[in-house]
Amino acid sequence: RWSLAAPSMVVRSYISISSFVVFLLFSVFFVALVYVAGTYDSQVYYSHFKSIADEGFFEFASQQIQVAGKLEPGLYVIYSLLPFLDFESFLLFNGWLIFFSSLFYYRLTWKHGYSRVDSFWFYFVIFFVLWYPLYINYMWVWRSYISVSLFSCGVLSFLKFRYLSSFVFFFLSLLFHVSFIFYFLIFMIVYYSVFFFESSRFSRGSIFFVGFLFSLAFSVLVFFALGSFGFMVSGGDIWQANYNYTGFIVSVYFMMIIVPFLFLSKSRTYNNENFYLFCILIFLINFALSVVFFNNHLVLNRFTILSYFLFVPFFLLFYPELGVYFRVYVFLLILIGVLFFFFSVGRYFLEFTV
């Protein structure tokens, strides 16, 4: 069964002092850091925004198809509806898009019962603002981040049998980034694998072992079929090894967090067994891809972001079921991810002021 237990506390409204404070602080932080860091997306998308303002959306779309061979219109349609903005206002608007895409997904995890914790805004800030694996995505790959947030909404809706809602989310995800195709392929493979494992009554250990072997085989297949995945990224040489090991290090760190959850018994996962197995298999694919693409951060970051989104409801649902020592261990590792966030932010501001 895919049904999930109801959360212990239901958050009924976004409008509160705490939500306004979180929104305001994130907006200021996002604009300041992106401006200081001079991220690639901020420069490119502002150039696209000015082109749309000067030439119109359809002329811009025609040029994009000629140059990139594809068009992902979601973000650009939104840009076409805006008045002309200076660079700082443009950053602020994109920060709002990222914030609300994160908040909408997070809110959906609570609405559908993917939580057994009570501190709504605390965990939102920890994971969607301060946690390093998601920070390196929302700060540097805007369209991919929004696309995966929408795709993750579709996944949660699909698992709750809300097929019309999931179709809408999947379609919107595709409009923002065609890497949706890759994520959807993984989703369908894992979704039906869970039913196969459950119907075959495999033991937990057997499922994890077979799942990891399949993940390695799938990752090697992706490695040798790179040309078929060119739609995921812009730039012809991005598939070449860039010897940036950040993505691999983050993936290893992430799997260190997941390890204690592998020891949860079925009595601890209650009637959420299928969701538990679904997430674990996604995480195993994440790790296998990180092994194969260990020296290419740009590619690996796009492959693994789905796992970091799905970890949020996974954590909220199963963290309370861990033993006390495992909970301390996981908490300390997440704290390390937060400390890396502050280290990264501090480095950019220090370089800017020197």
Side-chain angles (χ1 to χ4, degrees):
R1 295 174 58 195
W2 292 98
S3 59
L4 297 164
S8 55
M9 180 186 74
V10 178
V11 179
R12 300 184 181 277
S13 175
Y14 294 114
I15 304 174
S16 65
I17 295 177
S18 58
S19 63
F20 177 75
V21 170
V22 172
F23 169 69
L24 182 63
L25 291 178
F26 178 83
S27 300
V28 174
F29 156 75
F30 182 86
V31 173
L33 183 58
V34 173
Y35 184 86
V36 167
T39 63
Y40 176 79
D41 274 15
S42 66
Q43 305 295 330
V44 171
Y45 291 148
Y46 189 60
S47 174
H48 291 342
F49 170 71
K50 290 192 294 184
S51 296
I52 293 172
D54 294 337
E55 304 167 3
F57 172 77
F58 293 104
E59 179 63 27
F60 168 80
S62 176
Q63 294 176 4
Q64 278 292 106
I65 294 173
Q66 293 176 13
V67 173
K70 60 179 180 178
L71 176 66
E72 298 138 322
L75 192 59
Y76 305 133
V77 169
I78 296 175
Y79 287 168
S80 69
L81 302 176
L82 299 176
F84 188 80
L85 303 173
D86 59 27
F87 185 57
E88 291 76 13
S89 300
F90 176 77
L91 295 183
L92 180 62
F93 177 79
N94 283 277
W96 291 347
L97 286 179
I98 289 170
F99 179 87
F100 285 112
S101 68
S102 302
L103 183 59
F104 187 86
Y105 168 69
Y106 183 68
R107 169 67 174 172
L108 201 64
T109 67
W110 285 68
K111 179 181 178 181
H112 287 340
Y114 293 85
S115 177
R116 288 199 182 98
V117 301
D118 292 331
S119 303
F120 182 88
W121 283 110
F122 174 79
Y123 288 106
F124 176 83
V125 172
I126 290 294
F127 286 116
F128 289 101
V129 180
L130 303 180
W131 195 43
Y132 191 79
L134 285 176
Y135 152 75
I136 60 176
N137 283 281
Y138 76 68
M139 191 58 63
W140 276 272
V141 284
W142 296 352
R143 281 192 302 114
S144 293
Y145 185 92
I146 296 173
S147 176
V148 175
S149 67
L150 292 168
F151 180 79
S152 301
C153 288
V155 169
L156 297 188
S157 297
F158 192 92
L159 298 183
K160 292 290 290 184
F161 308 108
R162 290 173 167 82
Y163 298 125
L164 179 59
S165 298
S166 66
F167 173 80
V168 172
F169 287 128
F170 287 154
F171 179 71
L172 291 174
S173 174
L174 176 62
L175 292 182
F176 276 87
H177 209 286
V178 291
S179 57
F180 157 85
I181 298 172
F182 177 80
Y183 302 131
F184 188 75
L185 173 65
I186 291 179
F187 167 64
M188 296 308 295
I189 290 173
V190 173
Y191 180 77
Y192 287 106
S193 294
V194 168
F195 282 112
F196 169 75
F197 286 133
E198 281 293 284
S199 62
S200 302
R201 300 193 180 279
F202 278 67
S203 66
R204 278 277 184 83
S206 299
I207 292 174
F208 297 158
F209 180 72
V210 173
F212 184 66
L213 289 181
F214 168 79
S215 300
L216 282 177
F218 177 78
S219 301
V220 171
L221 176 64
V222 172
F223 180 82
F224 286 106
L226 290 182
S228 301
F229 293 91
F231 57 79
M232 289 193 65
V233 291
S234 299
D237 60 346
I238 197 169
W239 293 110
Q240 304 300 317
N242 53 32
Y243 301 102
N244 182 339
Y245 301 99
T246 303
F248 175 70
I249 294 172
V250 172
S251 291
V252 172
Y253 154 80
F254 178 69
M255 283 308 298
M256 290 173 64
I257 295 176
I258 297 303
V259 167
F261 293 94
L262 299 178
F263 296 97
L264 281 176
S265 64
K266 288 189 176 183
S267 62
R268 290 289 184 179
T269 55
Y270 298 103
N271 62 335
N272 305 311
E273 176 69 8
N274 282 8
F275 180 70
Y276 169 83
L277 291 178
F278 175 84
C279 289
I280 291 294
L281 292 177
I282 293 286
F283 301 156
L284 290 176
I285 292 177
N286 172 100
F287 183 66
L289 286 167
S290 71
V291 171
V292 173
F293 293 95
F294 71 98
N295 58 359
N296 196 327
H297 169 66
L298 294 176
V299 170
L300 187 56
N301 217 34
R302 287 166 170 81
F303 282 145
T304 57
I305 182 176
L306 178 61
S307 290
Y308 305 143
F309 265 92
L310 289 178
F311 176 70
V312 175
F314 181 86
F315 172 89
L316 296 176
L317 199 58
F318 298 118
Y319 178 75
E321 305 306 322
L322 294 174
V324 60
Y325 293 114
F326 276 154
R327 272 183 281 169
V328 171
Y329 168 82
V330 170
F331 173 80
L332 290 176
L333 282 178
I334 291 176
L335 180 61
I336 289 174
V338 173
L339 292 177
F340 267 100
F341 160 85
F342 283 109
F343 174 79
S344 175
V345 171
R347 181 170 62 89
Y348 280 111
F349 278 103
L350 183 62
E351 291 177 354
F352 183 76
T353 56
V354 173

